[in-house]
Amino acid sequence: MNYKNRIYDTVTAYMAKLSEFDTLERELEAQERAETISRVHAAERREEWEQQRKATYENTINEIEHTRRSHTEAVDKWNELSGDKLSADAELLKMDLPMNQVQFQQLCTKHKDNSLMLSLLCQYADRHRDSDLYADRPADAATRKAEFDDYAARATNVCREPRSIRAGLFLENNGVAESVSYEY
């Protein structure tokens, strides 16, 4: 599951609902100017819409938090230590065979969804610092959680201030760490 998309969809649905409320408000103002609705009835509708806005906001914030917690659980499950995650490639690392950058990247790419093998590959690279082994490695569990928590906090802030520059940047997916989009 892509938890980033879940939060993004939740925020965009919230923004669409706010847009609906804004449209209703403009229509109500036009009715008031045309004097086709009394001020009392208009005030009642505004109060009702305000309650709906608050409920929508609270539901959205709760959904973001629920998704954040679900993501944390998924990362913890992904990071569980298990013997079935041990690949035959671990023997290559244990044998301490010399490896070049391309080979190291191939192994990192091959085991991108395997937390145990990624950990072993990182340890191998640390033992062979003179070999200049680096790769585009997926983030570890702690980084994944921290970056996703930051994304969820940004989503919450967007809901608090939907007309801010921050909201526009969020909706454009600016500044989103790659690990936030990992699927579990």
Side-chain angles (χ1 to χ4, degrees), residues 74-152:
V75 171
D76 287 342
K77 184 166 178 54
W78 171 82
N79 198 41
E80 286 176 354
L81 197 57
S82 172
D84 8 341
K85 291 183 177 183
L86 198 57
S87 165
D89 292 336
E91 282 299 314
L92 296 172
L93 301 175
K94 185 177 173 184
M95 292 171 48
D96 223 20
L97 296 172
M99 192 181 313
N100 66 33
Q101 171 57 38
V102 172
Q103 293 167 325
F104 186 70
Q105 178 64 60
Q106 288 169 337
L107 283 175
C108 287
T109 302
K110 179 180 178 181
H111 297 292
K112 67 181 180 186
D113 295 326
N114 185 331
S115 61
L116 177 61
M117 288 303 297
L118 286 175
S119 176
L120 293 175
L121 284 162
C122 289
Q123 290 173 18
Y124 179 89
D126 289 345
R127 285 194 313 269
H128 296 88
R129 291 185 191 272
D130 58 326
S131 298
D132 224 12
L133 297 177
Y134 58 90
D136 295 328
R137 297 180 250 180
D140 65 352
T143 302
R144 290 174 185 221
K145 287 185 210 178
E147 290 177 345
F148 193 84
D149 288 352
D150 178 60
Y151 183 74

Coordinates of all heavy atoms in Angstrom, one line a residue, residues 74-152:
A74 N 3.4 -0.7 9.4 CA 3.9 -1.4 8.2 C 5.4 -1.4 8.1 O 6.0 -2.4 7.8 CB 3.3 -0.7 7.0
V75 N 6.0 -0.3 8.5 CA 7.5 -0.2 8.5 C 8.0 -1.2 9.6 O 9.0 -1.8 9.3 CB 8.0 1.2 8.8 CG1 9.5 1.3 9.0 CG2 7.6 2.1 7.6
D76 N 7.4 -1.2 10.8 CA 7.9 -2.1 11.8 C 7.8 -3.6 11.3 O 8.7 -4.4 11.5 CB 7.0 -2.0 13.1 CG 7.4 -0.7 13.8 OD1 8.5 -0.1 13.5 OD2 6.6 -0.2 14.6
K77 N 6.7 -3.9 10.6 CA 6.6 -5.3 10.1 C 7.6 -5.5 9.0 O 8.3 -6.6 9.0 CB 5.2 -5.5 9.5 CG 4.9 -6.9 9.0 CD 3.4 -7.1 8.8 CE 3.1 -8.4 8.2 NZ 3.6 -9.6 8.9
W78 N 7.9 -4.5 8.1 CA 8.9 -4.7 7.1 C 10.3 -4.9 7.7 O 11.1 -5.6 7.2 CB 8.9 -3.4 6.2 CG 10.0 -3.3 5.3 CD1 10.1 -3.9 4.0 CD2 11.3 -2.6 5.5 NE1 11.3 -3.5 3.5 CE2 12.0 -2.7 4.3 CE3 11.8 -1.8 6.5 CZ2 13.3 -2.2 4.2 CZ3 13.0 -1.2 6.3 CH2 13.8 -1.4 5.2
N79 N 10.5 -4.2 8.9 CA 11.8 -4.3 9.5 C 12.0 -5.5 10.5 O 13.1 -5.6 11.1 CB 12.0 -3.0 10.3 CG 13.5 -2.7 10.6 OD1 14.3 -3.0 9.8 ND2 13.7 -2.2 11.8
E80 N 11.0 -6.3 10.6 CA 11.1 -7.5 11.5 C 12.3 -8.3 11.1 O 12.5 -8.6 9.9 CB 9.8 -8.3 11.5 CG 8.7 -7.7 12.2 CD 7.4 -8.5 12.1 OE1 7.4 -9.5 11.4 OE2 6.5 -8.1 12.8
L81 N 13.0 -8.8 12.0 CA 14.1 -9.7 11.8 C 13.6 -11.1 11.6 O 12.9 -11.6 12.5 CB 15.1 -9.7 12.9 CG 16.5 -10.2 12.7 CD1 17.2 -9.5 11.5 CD2 17.3 -10.0 14.0
S82 N 13.9 -11.7 10.4 CA 13.4 -13.0 10.1 C 14.4 -13.8 9.3 O 14.9 -13.2 8.3 CB 12.0 -12.9 9.4 OG 11.6 -14.1 9.0
G83 N 14.5 -15.0 9.5 CA 15.5 -15.9 8.8 C 15.1 -16.0 7.3 O 15.9 -16.2 6.5
D84 N 13.8 -16.0 7.0 CA 13.4 -16.1 5.6 C 13.8 -15.0 4.8 O 13.8 -15.0 3.6 CB 11.9 -16.4 5.4 CG 11.0 -16.2 6.6 OD1 11.5 -16.3 7.7 OD2 9.8 -16.0 6.4
K85 N 14.2 -13.9 5.4 CA 14.7 -12.7 4.6 C 16.2 -12.9 4.2 O 16.7 -12.1 3.4 CB 14.6 -11.4 5.5 CG 13.2 -11.0 5.7 CD 13.2 -9.7 6.5 CE 11.8 -9.1 6.7 NZ 11.8 -7.8 7.4
L86 N 16.8 -13.9 4.8 CA 18.2 -14.1 4.5 C 18.4 -14.8 3.1 O 17.9 -15.9 2.9 CB 18.8 -15.0 5.6 CG 20.3 -15.0 5.6 CD1 20.9 -13.6 5.9 CD2 20.8 -15.9 6.8
S87 N 19.0 -14.1 2.2 CA 19.2 -14.5 0.8 C 20.5 -15.3 0.7 O 21.4 -15.1 1.5 CB 19.2 -13.3 -0.1 OG 19.6 -13.6 -1.4
A88 N 20.6 -16.0 -0.4 CA 21.9 -16.7 -0.7 C 23.0 -15.7 -0.9 O 24.2 -16.0 -0.7 CB 21.7 -17.6 -1.9
D89 N 22.6 -14.5 -1.3 CA 23.6 -13.4 -1.5 C 24.3 -13.1 -0.2 O 25.4 -12.5 -0.3 CB 22.9 -12.2 -2.1 CG 22.4 -12.4 -3.5 OD1 23.0 -13.3 -4.2 OD2 21.5 -11.7 -3.9
A90 N 23.8 -13.4 0.9 CA 24.4 -13.1 2.2 C 25.7 -13.9 2.3 O 26.7 -13.4 2.9 CB 23.5 -13.5 3.4
E91 N 25.8 -15.0 1.6 CA 27.1 -15.8 1.6 C 28.2 -15.1 0.9 O 29.3 -15.1 1.3 CB 26.8 -17.2 1.0 CG 26.1 -18.2 1.8 CD 26.9 -18.5 3.1 OE1 28.2 -18.7 3.0 OE2 26.3 -18.5 4.2
L92 N 27.8 -14.4 -0.2 CA 28.8 -13.5 -0.9 C 29.3 -12.5 0.0 O 30.6 -12.2 0.0 CB 28.1 -12.9 -2.1 CG 27.6 -13.8 -3.2 CD1 26.9 -13.0 -4.3 CD2 28.8 -14.5 -3.9
L93 N 28.5 -11.9 0.8 CA 28.9 -10.8 1.7 C 29.8 -11.4 2.8 O 30.8 -10.8 3.2 CB 27.7 -10.1 2.3 CG 26.8 -9.4 1.3 CD1 25.6 -8.8 2.0 CD2 27.6 -8.3 0.5
K94 N 29.4 -12.6 3.3 CA 30.2 -13.3 4.3 C 31.6 -13.7 3.8 O 32.5 -13.7 4.6 CB 29.4 -14.5 4.8 CG 29.9 -15.2 5.9 CD 29.0 -16.4 6.3 CE 29.6 -17.3 7.4 NZ 28.7 -18.4 7.7
M95 N 31.6 -14.1 2.6 CA 32.9 -14.5 2.0 C 33.9 -13.4 1.8 O 35.1 -13.5 1.5 CB 32.7 -15.3 0.6 CG 32.0 -16.6 0.8 SD 31.5 -17.4 -0.8 CE 32.9 -17.3 -1.8
D96 N 33.3 -12.2 1.9 CA 34.1 -10.9 1.8 C 34.8 -10.8 0.4 O 35.9 -10.3 0.3 CB 35.1 -10.9 2.9 CG 35.2 -9.5 3.5 OD1 34.2 -8.7 3.3 OD2 36.2 -9.2 4.2
L97 N 34.1 -11.2 -0.6 CA 34.7 -11.1 -2.0 C 34.7 -9.6 -2.4 O 33.9 -8.8 -2.0 CB 33.7 -11.8 -3.0 CG 33.6 -13.3 -2.8 CD1 32.6 -13.9 -3.8 CD2 35.0 -14.0 -3.1
P98 N 35.8 -9.2 -3.1 CA 35.8 -7.8 -3.5 C 34.6 -7.6 -4.5 O 34.3 -8.4 -5.3 CB 37.2 -7.7 -4.3 CG 37.8 -9.1 -4.3 CD 36.9 -10.0 -3.5
M99 N 34.1 -6.4 -4.4 CA 32.9 -6.0 -5.2 C 33.2 -4.6 -5.7 O 33.7 -3.7 -5.0 CB 31.7 -6.0 -4.2 CG 30.4 -6.0 -4.9 SD 29.0 -6.0 -3.8 CE 29.4 -7.3 -2.6
N100 N 32.7 -4.4 -6.9 CA 32.8 -3.0 -7.5 C 31.5 -2.3 -7.3 O 30.5 -2.8 -6.8 CB 33.3 -3.0 -8.9 CG 32.2 -3.6 -9.9 OD1 31.0 -3.5 -9.6 ND2 32.7 -4.3 -10.9
Q101 N 31.5 -1.0 -7.6 CA 30.3 -0.1 -7.4 C 29.1 -0.7 -8.1 O 28.0 -0.7 -7.5 CB 30.7 1.3 -7.9 CG 29.5 2.2 -7.9 CD 28.8 2.3 -6.5 OE1 29.5 2.4 -5.5 NE2 27.5 2.4 -6.6
V102 N 29.2 -1.1 -9.3 CA 28.1 -1.6 -10.1 C 27.5 -2.9 -9.5 O 26.3 -3.0 -9.3 CB 28.5 -1.9 -11.6 CG1 27.4 -2.6 -12.4 CG2 29.0 -0.6 -12.3
Q103 N 28.4 -3.8 -9.0 CA 27.9 -5.0 -8.4 C 27.1 -4.7 -7.1 O 26.1 -5.3 -6.8 CB 29.0 -6.0 -8.1 CG 29.7 -6.5 -9.4 CD 31.0 -7.2 -9.1 OE1 31.8 -6.7 -8.3 NE2 31.3 -8.2 -9.9
F104 N 27.7 -3.7 -6.3 CA 27.1 -3.4 -5.1 C 25.7 -2.7 -5.3 O 24.7 -3.1 -4.6 CB 28.0 -2.4 -4.3 CG 27.5 -2.0 -2.9 CD1 27.5 -3.0 -1.9 CD2 27.0 -0.8 -2.7 CE1 27.1 -2.7 -0.6 CE2 26.6 -0.4 -1.4 CZ 26.6 -1.4 -0.4
Q105 N 25.6 -1.9 -6.3 CA 24.3 -1.2 -6.6 C 23.3 -2.3 -7.1 O 22.2 -2.3 -6.7 CB 24.5 -0.2 -7.7 CG 23.2 0.4 -8.2 CD 22.5 1.2 -7.1 OE1 23.1 2.2 -6.6 NE2 21.3 0.9 -6.7
Q106 N 23.8 -3.3 -7.8 CA 22.9 -4.4 -8.3 C 22.3 -5.1 -7.1 O 21.1 -5.4 -7.1 CB 23.6 -5.3 -9.2 CG 23.9 -4.7 -10.6 CD 24.9 -5.6 -11.4 OE1 25.6 -6.4 -10.9 NE2 24.8 -5.4 -12.7
L107 N 23.1 -5.4 -6.1 CA 22.7 -6.1 -4.9 C 21.7 -5.3 -4.1 O 20.7 -5.8 -3.6 CB 23.8 -6.6 -4.0 CG 24.6 -7.8 -4.5 CD1 25.8 -8.1 -3.6 CD2 23.7 -9.0 -4.6
C108 N 22.0 -4.0 -4.0 CA 21.1 -3.1 -3.3 C 19.7 -3.0 -4.0 O 18.7 -3.0 -3.3 CB 21.7 -1.7 -3.1 SG 23.1 -1.6 -2.0
T109 N 19.8 -2.9 -5.3 CA 18.5 -2.8 -6.0 C 17.8 -4.1 -5.9 O 16.5 -4.1 -5.7 CB 18.8 -2.5 -7.5 OG1 19.5 -1.3 -7.6 CG2 17.5 -2.4 -8.3
K110 N 18.5 -5.2 -6.0 CA 17.8 -6.6 -5.9 C 17.1 -6.8 -4.6 O 16.0 -7.3 -4.5 CB 18.9 -7.7 -6.1 CG 18.4 -9.1 -6.0 CD 19.5 -10.1 -6.2 CE 19.0 -11.5 -6.0 NZ 20.1 -12.4 -6.2
H111 N 17.7 -6.2 -3.5 CA 17.2 -6.5 -2.2 C 16.5 -5.2 -1.6 O 16.4 -5.1 -0.4 CB 18.3 -7.0 -1.2 CG 18.9 -8.3 -1.7 ND1 18.2 -9.4 -1.6 CD2 20.1 -8.6 -2.2 CE1 18.9 -10.4 -2.1 NE2 20.1 -10.0 -2.4
K112 N 16.0 -4.3 -2.4 CA 15.5 -3.1 -2.0 C 14.3 -3.2 -1.0 O 14.0 -2.4 -0.2 CB 15.1 -2.2 -3.1 CG 13.9 -2.7 -3.9 CD 13.6 -1.8 -5.1 CE 12.4 -2.4 -5.8 NZ 12.0 -1.7 -7.0
D113 N 13.6 -4.3 -1.1 CA 12.4 -4.6 -0.2 C 12.8 -5.5 1.0 O 11.8 -5.9 1.7 CB 11.3 -5.2 -1.0 CG 10.7 -4.2 -2.0 OD1 10.8 -3.0 -1.8 OD2 10.3 -4.6 -3.1
N114 N 14.0 -5.8 1.2 CA 14.4 -6.7 2.2 C 15.3 -6.0 3.3 O 16.5 -5.7 3.0 CB 15.2 -7.9 1.6 CG 15.6 -9.0 2.5 OD1 15.8 -8.7 3.7 ND2 15.7 -10.2 2.0
S115 N 14.7 -5.7 4.4 CA 15.4 -4.9 5.4 C 16.7 -5.6 5.9 O 17.7 -5.0 6.2 CB 14.5 -4.6 6.6 OG 14.0 -5.8 7.2
L116 N 16.6 -6.9 6.1 CA 17.8 -7.7 6.6 C 19.0 -7.6 5.6 O 20.1 -7.3 6.0 CB 17.4 -9.1 6.9 CG 18.6 -10.0 7.3 CD1 19.2 -9.5 8.6 CD2 18.1 -11.5 7.5
M117 N 18.7 -7.8 4.3 CA 19.7 -7.8 3.3 C 20.3 -6.4 3.2 O 21.5 -6.2 3.0 CB 19.2 -8.4 2.0 CG 19.0 -9.9 2.0 SD 20.5 -10.8 2.5 CE 21.6 -10.4 1.2
L118 N 19.4 -5.4 3.2 CA 19.9 -4.0 3.1 C 20.9 -3.7 4.3 O 21.9 -3.1 4.1 CB 18.8 -3.0 3.1 CG 18.0 -3.0 1.8 CD1 16.8 -2.0 2.0 CD2 18.9 -2.5 0.7
S119 N 20.5 -4.2 5.5 CA 21.4 -4.0 6.6 C 22.7 -4.7 6.4 O 23.8 -4.1 6.7 CB 20.7 -4.5 7.9 OG 21.5 -4.4 9.0
L120 N 22.7 -5.9 5.9 CA 24.0 -6.6 5.7 C 24.8 -5.9 4.6 O 26.0 -5.9 4.7 CB 23.7 -8.1 5.3 CG 23.0 -9.0 6.4 CD1 22.7 -10.3 5.8 CD2 24.0 -9.1 7.6
L121 N 24.1 -5.4 3.6 CA 24.9 -4.7 2.6 C 25.5 -3.4 3.1 O 26.6 -3.1 2.8 CB 23.9 -4.3 1.4 CG 23.6 -5.5 0.5 CD1 22.4 -5.2 -0.4 CD2 24.8 -5.9 -0.4
C122 N 24.8 -2.7 4.0 CA 25.4 -1.5 4.6 C 26.6 -1.9 5.5 O 27.6 -1.2 5.4 CB 24.3 -0.8 5.5 SG 23.0 0.0 4.5
Q123 N 26.5 -3.0 6.2 CA 27.6 -3.4 7.0 C 28.8 -3.8 6.1 O 30.0 -3.5 6.5 CB 27.2 -4.6 7.9 CG 26.2 -4.3 9.0 CD 25.7 -5.5 9.7 OE1 26.3 -6.6 9.6 NE2 24.6 -5.3 10.4
Y124 N 28.5 -4.4 5.0 CA 29.6 -4.8 4.1 C 30.3 -3.5 3.6 O 31.5 -3.4 3.5 CB 29.0 -5.6 2.9 CG 30.1 -6.0 1.9 CD1 30.8 -7.1 2.0 CD2 30.3 -5.1 0.8 CE1 31.8 -7.5 1.0 CE2 31.3 -5.5 -0.2 CZ 32.0 -6.6 0.0 OH 33.0 -7.0 -0.9
A125 N 29.5 -2.5 3.2 CA 30.0 -1.2 2.7 C 30.9 -0.6 3.8 O 31.9 0.0 3.5 CB 28.9 -0.3 2.2
D126 N 30.4 -0.6 5.0 CA 31.1 0.0 6.1 C 32.5 -0.7 6.3 O 33.5 -0.1 6.7 CB 30.3 -0.1 7.4 CG 29.1 0.9 7.4 OD1 29.1 1.8 6.5 OD2 28.2 0.8 8.2
R127 N 32.5 -2.0 6.1 CA 33.8 -2.8 6.3 C 34.8 -2.5 5.2 O 35.9 -2.7 5.3 CB 33.5 -4.3 6.4 CG 32.9 -4.8 7.7 CD 33.0 -6.3 7.8 NE 32.5 -7.0 6.6 CZ 31.3 -7.4 6.4 NH1 30.3 -7.2 7.3 NH2 31.0 -8.1 5.3
H128 N 34.2 -2.1 4.0 CA 35.1 -1.8 2.9 C 35.0 -0.4 2.4 O 34.8 -0.1 1.3 CB 34.6 -2.7 1.7 CG 34.8 -4.2 2.0 ND1 33.8 -4.9 2.6 CD2 35.8 -5.0 1.8 CE1 34.2 -6.2 2.8 NE2 35.5 -6.2 2.3
R129 N 35.3 0.5 3.3 CA 35.2 2.0 3.0 C 36.2 2.4 2.0 O 36.0 3.3 1.2 CB 35.5 2.8 4.3 CG 34.4 2.7 5.3 CD 34.6 3.6 6.5 NE 33.7 3.3 7.6 CZ 32.5 3.9 7.7 NH1 32.1 4.8 6.8 NH2 31.7 3.6 8.7
D130 N 37.3 1.7 1.9 CA 38.4 2.0 0.9 C 37.9 1.6 -0.5 O 38.5 2.1 -1.5 CB 39.7 1.3 1.2 CG 39.6 -0.2 1.3 OD1 38.5 -0.7 1.8 OD2 40.5 -0.9 0.9
S131 N 36.9 0.8 -0.7 CA 36.4 0.4 -2.0 C 35.4 1.4 -2.6 O 35.0 1.2 -3.7 CB 35.7 -1.0 -1.9 OG 36.6 -2.0 -1.5
D132 N 35.1 2.4 -1.9 CA 34.2 3.4 -2.4 C 32.8 2.9 -2.8 O 32.3 3.2 -3.9 CB 34.8 4.2 -3.5 CG 34.6 5.7 -3.4 OD1 34.2 6.1 -2.3 OD2 34.9 6.4 -4.4
L133 N 32.3 2.0 -2.0 CA 31.0 1.4 -2.3 C 29.9 2.3 -1.8 O 29.7 2.6 -0.6 CB 30.9 0.0 -1.6 CG 31.9 -1.0 -2.1 CD1 31.7 -2.3 -1.3 CD2 31.7 -1.3 -3.6
Y134 N 29.1 2.7 -2.7 CA 27.9 3.5 -2.4 C 26.8 3.1 -3.4 O 27.1 2.5 -4.4 CB 28.2 5.0 -2.5 CG 28.7 5.5 -3.8 CD1 27.8 5.9 -4.8 CD2 30.0 5.5 -4.1 CE1 28.2 6.3 -6.0 CE2 30.5 5.9 -5.4 CZ 29.6 6.3 -6.3 OH 30.0 6.7 -7.5
A135 N 25.6 3.4 -3.0 CA 24.5 3.0 -3.9 C 23.3 3.8 -3.5 O 23.2 4.5 -2.5 CB 24.2 1.5 -3.7
D136 N 22.3 3.8 -4.4 CA 21.0 4.4 -4.1 C 20.3 3.4 -3.3 O 19.6 2.5 -3.9 CB 20.3 4.7 -5.4 CG 21.0 5.8 -6.2 OD1 21.6 6.7 -5.6 OD2 20.9 5.8 -7.5
R137 N 20.5 3.5 -2.0 CA 19.8 2.5 -1.1 C 18.6 3.0 -0.5 O 18.5 4.2 -0.2 CB 20.8 2.2 0.1 CG 22.1 1.5 -0.3 CD 22.9 1.3 0.9 NE 24.0 2.2 0.9 CZ 24.9 2.2 1.9 NH1 24.8 1.4 2.9 NH2 25.9 3.1 1.8
P138 N 17.6 2.2 -0.4 CA 16.3 2.6 0.3 C 16.7 3.0 1.7 O 17.6 2.4 2.3 CB 15.4 1.4 0.2 CG 15.9 0.6 -1.0 CD 17.4 0.9 -1.0
A139 N 15.9 3.8 2.3 CA 16.1 4.3 3.6 C 15.8 3.2 4.7 O 15.0 2.3 4.4 CB 15.2 5.5 3.9
D140 N 16.5 3.3 5.8 CA 16.2 2.3 6.9 C 14.9 2.7 7.6 O 14.3 3.7 7.3 CB 17.4 2.3 7.9 CG 17.5 3.6 8.6 OD1 16.9 4.6 8.3 OD2 18.4 3.6 9.6
A141 N 14.5 1.8 8.5 CA 13.2 1.9 9.1 C 13.0 3.3 9.9 O 12.0 3.9 9.8 CB 13.0 0.8 10.1
A142 N 14.0 3.7 10.6 CA 13.9 4.9 11.4 C 13.8 6.1 10.5 O 13.0 7.0 10.8 CB 15.2 5.1 12.3
T143 N 14.5 6.1 9.4 CA 14.4 7.2 8.4 C 13.1 7.2 7.8 O 12.4 8.3 7.6 CB 15.5 7.1 7.4 OG1 16.8 7.1 8.0 CG2 15.5 8.3 6.4
R144 N 12.6 6.1 7.4 CA 11.3 6.0 6.8 C 10.2 6.5 7.7 O 9.3 7.3 7.2 CB 10.9 4.5 6.4 CG 11.8 3.9 5.3 CD 11.5 2.4 5.2 NE 12.4 1.9 4.2 CZ 12.1 1.0 3.2 NH1 10.9 0.6 3.2 NH2 13.0 0.6 2.4
K145 N 10.2 6.1 8.9 CA 9.2 6.6 9.9 C 9.3 8.1 10.1 O 8.3 8.8 10.1 CB 9.4 5.9 11.2 CG 8.9 4.5 11.2 CD 9.0 4.0 12.7 CE 9.3 2.5 12.7 NZ 9.4 2.1 14.1
A146 N 10.5 8.6 10.3 CA 10.7 10.1 10.5 C 10.3 10.9 9.3 O 9.6 11.9 9.5 CB 12.2 10.3 10.9
E147 N 10.6 10.5 8.1 CA 10.3 11.3 7.0 C 8.8 11.2 6.7 O 8.1 12.2 6.3 CB 11.1 10.8 5.7 CG 12.5 11.2 5.8 CD 13.4 10.7 4.7 OE1 13.0 9.8 3.9 OE2 14.5 11.2 4.6
F148 N 8.2 10.0 7.0 CA 6.7 9.9 6.8 C 6.0 10.8 7.9 O 5.0 11.4 7.6 CB 6.2 8.5 6.8 CG 4.8 8.3 6.3 CD1 4.6 8.2 5.0 CD2 3.8 8.3 7.2 CE1 3.3 8.2 4.5 CE2 2.5 8.3 6.7 CZ 2.2 8.1 5.4
D149 N 6.5 10.7 9.1 CA 5.8 11.5 10.2 C 5.9 13.0 9.8 O 4.9 13.8 10.0 CB 6.5 11.3 11.5 CG 6.2 9.9 12.1 OD1 5.3 9.2 11.5 OD2 6.8 9.5 13.1
D150 N 7.0 13.4 9.2 CA 7.1 14.8 8.8 C 6.1 15.1 7.7 O 5.5 16.2 7.7 CB 8.6 15.1 8.2 CG 8.7 16.5 7.7 OD1 8.5 17.4 8.5 OD2 9.0 16.7 6.5
Y151 N 5.9 14.2 6.7 CA 4.9 14.4 5.7 C 3.5 14.5 6.2 O 2.7 15.3 5.8 CB 5.0 13.2 4.7 CG 4.1 13.4 3.5 CD1 4.4 14.3 2.5 CD2 3.0 12.6 3.4 CE1 3.5 14.4 1.4 CE2 2.1 12.7 2.3 CZ 2.4 13.6 1.3 OH 1.6 13.7 0.2
A152 N 3.2 13.6 7.2 CA 1.9 13.7 7.8 C 1.7 15.0 8.6 O 0.6 15.6 8.6 CB 1.7 12.5 8.8

